[in-house]
């Protein structure tokens, strides 16, 4: 028992430290490359009085740091939201776009791009339409003051389809010389637009959502039981479900608004977390947050530094994610079941 | 605790399912609910616990109408053991049993050492400590049913509500479940309402019985009185023979179905 607990603690410690370590190393990777020691010196130059090379300072603080922070937020957020949706719908294959949130948010963002709005505008529109699609989905699914999981999922599919069609429509009417490439590229996802201003807009939603889900992680186990069972364990499931949906939608919409659609993370990471630490959401949630952040830092560093041109991140997450997922599936036979 | 239902009626738009159900279950008493398939046994359980709303009529816990009670207070007194069906996620038995502590914990609280201890004790009480780390998705029906009963016990309830706990189980496991219910009622004064398909089981463990008939009527009373040849024929359309015998000084009764009527 004692040995088991210690090994659990070591494991948790590793997962907590992993993203930080990856962040430090990846801050130094790129065309202007720095070793870890130099990176640390520059990072803490404000405190220690160390005077770094100005180029290095600019690269770290103005270019790479906001980008890595965004990667951390998006990775942690989407993984956490994915795990929450999977628990909520007792469906291991549910993803952050189940409720049509991602499609709704994409539509909002594309609308913003088409109106030549600035990034703030794009973000606000994405957020509005993301939350809107979630509200529509939820209200369609409500009958007799109750909403069953099946109804929610079906309504989500319909709303997703509608917003995807609307996005296609926008692409169709967009100017093929200028707007269309921007929209297409944006939809494939990229962290390159990250600035501190953008971060300030989106980060609070993501952080609030993560904290909420983290605080309620044990309750998520109960939500994954059937409705009457969950009720009989003394939970107000309608309210609890609404809280989880709101938190996860907020996260998803903010992520989409800041970096486009990044697929796979919300599915891949929670499953890896389950395979490592079992199905109890008390461990799945924190582990998803840590692993998600780590995964996204690595992916984004690849996206910006592997080739001279930037590779869209959703292409990378799919190409890397799918095989890893298949290997894990074959090896463990799906440890969640 | 005394649990009482008065004139409970329930039905969907066109079809009336439950008509004028009234019964009382006293401290430590066991009530069996009998009736043929589809007559509304599970619906009755859900209605009396407020998971479905009575169209008319009320349920009371110690003379307090249950909709007047706080959600959490009610579910600290009454523990529901649903039919064991596979779960989507494979929680370990210990994790699953610990979930029973939910009604005793604050919304943002995580279960602590005491809750874990309560879970371990509940598992020990019904003899399933060996299942501790087994995943719920890898258990047999009987094992999962026992885990769900243990989960109900961690609530420290005054009454258990069990929905066909012994269906789909083999001889031995049926006996284990029935004896567990009996033991809990005798030793700890935990009353129970049990849905069952077996009149024999009802006779074995229950003080009272509620028989739901297909024509919408029902019979409530002492188990010995309710479960007789006449009532069985009326409710199930089956001619039975109730056989009484004793082995080693203990009385047993078996209910043998003879033929359809």
């Amino acid at each position: 028992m004692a040995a088991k607990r210690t090994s659990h603690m070591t494991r948790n410690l590793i997962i907590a430290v992993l993203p930080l370590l990856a962040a430090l190393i990846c801050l130094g990777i790129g065309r202007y490359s720095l070793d870890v020691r130099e990176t640390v010196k520059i990072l803490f130059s404000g405190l220690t009085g160390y005077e770094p090379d100005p180029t290095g300072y600019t690269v770290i603080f103005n270019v790479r740091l906001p980008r890595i922070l965004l990667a951390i937020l998006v990775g942690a957020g989407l993984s956490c939201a994915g795990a929450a949706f999977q628990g909520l719908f007792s469906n291991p294959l549910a993803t952050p776009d189940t409720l049509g949130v991602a499609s709704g948010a994409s539509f909002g963002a594309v609308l913003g791009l088409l109106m030549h709005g600035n990034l703030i505008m794009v973000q606000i529109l994405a957020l509005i339409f993301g939350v809107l699609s979630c509200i529509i989905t939820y209200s369609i699914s409500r009958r007799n003051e109750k909403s069953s999981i099946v109804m929610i999922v079906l309504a989500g599919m319909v709303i997703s389809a509608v917003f995807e069609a609307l996005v296609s429509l926008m692409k169709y009417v967009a100017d093929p010389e200028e707007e269309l490439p921007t929209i297409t590229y944006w939809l494939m996802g990229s962290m390159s637009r990250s600035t501190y201003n953008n971060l300030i807009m989106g980060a609070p939603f993501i952080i609030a959502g993560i904290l909420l889900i983290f605080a309620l992680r044990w309750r998520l186990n109960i939500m994954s039981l059937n409705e009457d069972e969950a009720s009989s364990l003394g939970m107000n499931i309608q309210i609890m479900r609404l809280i989880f949906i709101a938190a996860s939608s907020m996260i998803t919409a903010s992520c989409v608004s800041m970096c486009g659609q990044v697929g796979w993370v919300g599915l891949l990471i929670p499953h890896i977390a389950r395979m490592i630490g079992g199905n109890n959401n008390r461990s799945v949630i924190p582990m998803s947050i840590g692993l998600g952040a780590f995964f996204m830092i690595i992916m984004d560093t690849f996206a910006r530094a592997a080739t001279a041109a930037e590779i869209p991140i959703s292409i990378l997450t799919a190409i890397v994610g799918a095989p890893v997922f298949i290997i894990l599936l074959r090896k463990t036979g799906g440890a969640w079941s | 605790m005394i649990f009482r239902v008065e004139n409970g009626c329930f039905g969907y738009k066109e079809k009336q399912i439950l008509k004028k159900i009234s019964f009382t279950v006293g401290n430590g008493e066991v009530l069996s609910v009998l009736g043929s398939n589809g007559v509304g046994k599970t619906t009755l359980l859900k209605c009396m616990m407020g998971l479905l709303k009575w169209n008319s009529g009320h349920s009371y816990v110690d003379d307090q109408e249950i909709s007047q009670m706080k959600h959490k207070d009610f579910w600290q007194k009454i523990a529901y053991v649903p039919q064991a069906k596979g779960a989507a996620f494979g929680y370990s038995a210990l994790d699953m049993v610990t979930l029973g502590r939910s009604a005793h914990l604050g919304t943002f609280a995580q279960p602590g050492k005491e809750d874990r201890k309560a879970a371990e004790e509940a598992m020990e009480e019904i003899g399933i400590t060996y299942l501790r780390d087994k995943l719920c998705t890898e258990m047999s029906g009987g094992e999962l049913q026992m885990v769900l009963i243990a989960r109900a016990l961690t609530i420290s309830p005054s009454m258990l509500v069990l929905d066909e706990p012994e269906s789909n189980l083999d001889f031995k496991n049926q006996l284990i479940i029935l004896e567990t219910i009996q033991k809990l009622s005798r030793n700890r004064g935990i009353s129970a309402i049990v849905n069952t398909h077996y009149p024999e089981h009802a006779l074995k463990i229950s003080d009272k019985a509620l028989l739901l008939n297909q024509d919408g009527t029902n019979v409530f009373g002492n188990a010995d009185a309710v479960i007789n040849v006449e009532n069985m024929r009326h409710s199930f359309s089956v001619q039975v023979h109730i056989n009484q015998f004793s082995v080693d000084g203990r009385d047993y009764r078996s209910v043998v179905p003879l033929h359809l009527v």
Side-chain angles (χ1 to χ4, degrees), chain B residues 108-182:
Chain B
F108 292 100
Q110 304 289 322
K113 262 187 195 156
E114 270 178 38
D115 302 299
R116 197 190 165 90
K117 221 180 108 201
E120 280 167 346
E121 280 169 7
M123 293 177 81
E124 206 180 306
E125 177 159 9
I126 59 169
I128 53 164
T129 312
Y130 68 98
L131 287 177
R132 212 191 134 91
D133 294 317
K134 193 162 179 179
L135 299 185
C136 287
T137 38
E138 290 169 1
M139 287 178 193
S140 70
E143 287 172 335
L144 184 56
Q145 193 68 61
M146 293 304 275
V147 167
L148 296 184
I149 292 178
R151 185 179 76 191
L153 290 180
T154 62
I155 301 171
S156 346
S158 309
M159 184 169 92
L160 286 173
V161 176
L162 303 104
D163 194 0
E164 295 181 13
E166 85 287 36
S167 294
N168 307 320
L169 301 188
D170 65 28
F171 257 9
K172 185 188 167 199
N173 281 321
Q174 285 189 347
L175 215 54
I176 292 176
I177 302 257
L178 293 175
E179 280 177 0
T180 305
I181 296 169
Q182 215 167 16

Side-chain angles (χ1 to χ4, degrees), chain A residues 219 224 228-229 233 279 336, chain B residues 46 71 90-91 102 106 137 151:
Chain A
R219 299 274 159 190
S224 76
D228 288 330
E229 222 173 332
L233 292 171
N279 289 292
W336 65 85
Chain B
K46 286 184 181 174
H71 199 63
Y91 303 120
S102 162
T137 38
R151 185 179 76 191

Side-chain angles (χ1 to χ4, degrees), chain B residues 148-256:
Chain B
L148 296 184
I149 292 178
R151 185 179 76 191
L153 290 180
T154 62
I155 301 171
S156 346
S158 309
M159 184 169 92
L160 286 173
V161 176
L162 303 104
D163 194 0
E164 295 181 13
E166 85 287 36
S167 294
N168 307 320
L169 301 188
D170 65 28
F171 257 9
K172 185 188 167 199
N173 281 321
Q174 285 189 347
L175 215 54
I176 292 176
I177 302 257
L178 293 175
E179 280 177 0
T180 305
I181 296 169
Q182 215 167 16
K183 214 172 67 192
L184 289 169
S185 96
R186 283 187 191 153
N187 302 350
R188 290 180 46 187
I190 299 175
S191 45
I193 296 181
V194 189
N195 269 0
T196 179
H197 275 305
Y198 305 92
E200 218 163 272
H201 295 169
L203 278 173
K204 184 178 164 68
I205 60 166
S206 49
D207 306 287
K208 290 180 173 169
L210 174 67
L211 188 60
L212 301 178
N213 297 326
Q214 274 157 335
D215 57 11
T217 57
N218 68 82
V219 188
F220 169 69
N222 284 335
D224 298 340
V226 172
I227 302 167
N228 59 30
V229 176
E230 191 79 355
N231 283 342
M232 289 299 106
R233 190 173 55 209
H234 181 61
S235 179
F236 292 96
S237 308
V238 172
Q239 182 68 44
V240 300
H241 175 71
I242 298 179
N243 193 16
Q244 209 153 7
F245 57 97
S246 59
V247 178
D248 295 336
R250 281 182 70 179
D251 288 333
Y252 296 89
R253 269 167 300 178
S254 68
V255 180
V256 187

Side-chain angles (χ1 to χ4, degrees), chain A residues 1 4-5 86-92 146 212 214-222 224-237 240 274 278-282 335-337, chain B residues 46 49 51-52 71-72 75 78-80 82-83 85 87-91 95-96 98-103 105-113 116 120 132-133 135 137-138 148 151 155:
Chain A
M1 271 297 285
K4 201 171 155 194
R5 202 164 292 165
Q86 284 147 26
L88 203 58
F89 299 131
S90 346
N91 181 350
K146 274 197 164 184
L212 206 55
F214 181 79
L216 291 169
R217 65 194 186 281
W218 184 64
R219 299 274 159 190
L220 195 55
N221 292 333
I222 298 176
S224 76
L225 305 175
N226 85 47
E227 206 165 319
D228 288 330
E229 222 173 332
S231 264
S232 81
L233 292 171
M235 291 236 299
N236 188 332
I237 54 166
M240 197 56 86
R274 282 190 198 100
N279 289 292
N280 192 333
N281 283 301
R282 276 183 89 183
W336 65 85
S337 60
Chain B
K46 286 184 181 174
M49 294 185 292
L51 293 173
L52 288 170
H71 199 63
K72 274 198 169 171
W75 292 113
I78 290 178
Y80 176 44
Q83 284 186 48
K85 283 183 195 140
F89 293 99
Y91 303 120
D95 285 341
M96 189 56 129
T98 311
L99 293 185
R101 298 298 297 163
S102 162
L105 290 169
T107 305
F108 292 100
Q110 304 289 322
K113 262 187 195 156
R116 197 190 165 90
E120 280 167 346
R132 212 191 134 91
D133 294 317
L135 299 185
T137 38
E138 290 169 1
L148 296 184
R151 185 179 76 191
I155 301 171

Side-chain angles (χ1 to χ4, degrees), chain A residues 268-313:
Chain A
L268 183 64
I269 301 297
H271 279 264
I272 294 179
R274 282 190 198 100
M275 286 165 190
I276 298 174
N279 289 292
N280 192 333
N281 283 301
R282 276 183 89 183
S283 71
V284 172
I285 295 291
M287 221 179 267
S288 296
I289 295 172
L291 289 173
F294 170 72
F295 177 74
M296 201 52 102
I297 294 169
I298 304 286
M299 285 298 112
D300 182 52
T301 306
F302 237 86
R304 68 178 164 82
T307 61
E310 167 126 11
I311 309 170
I313 190 123

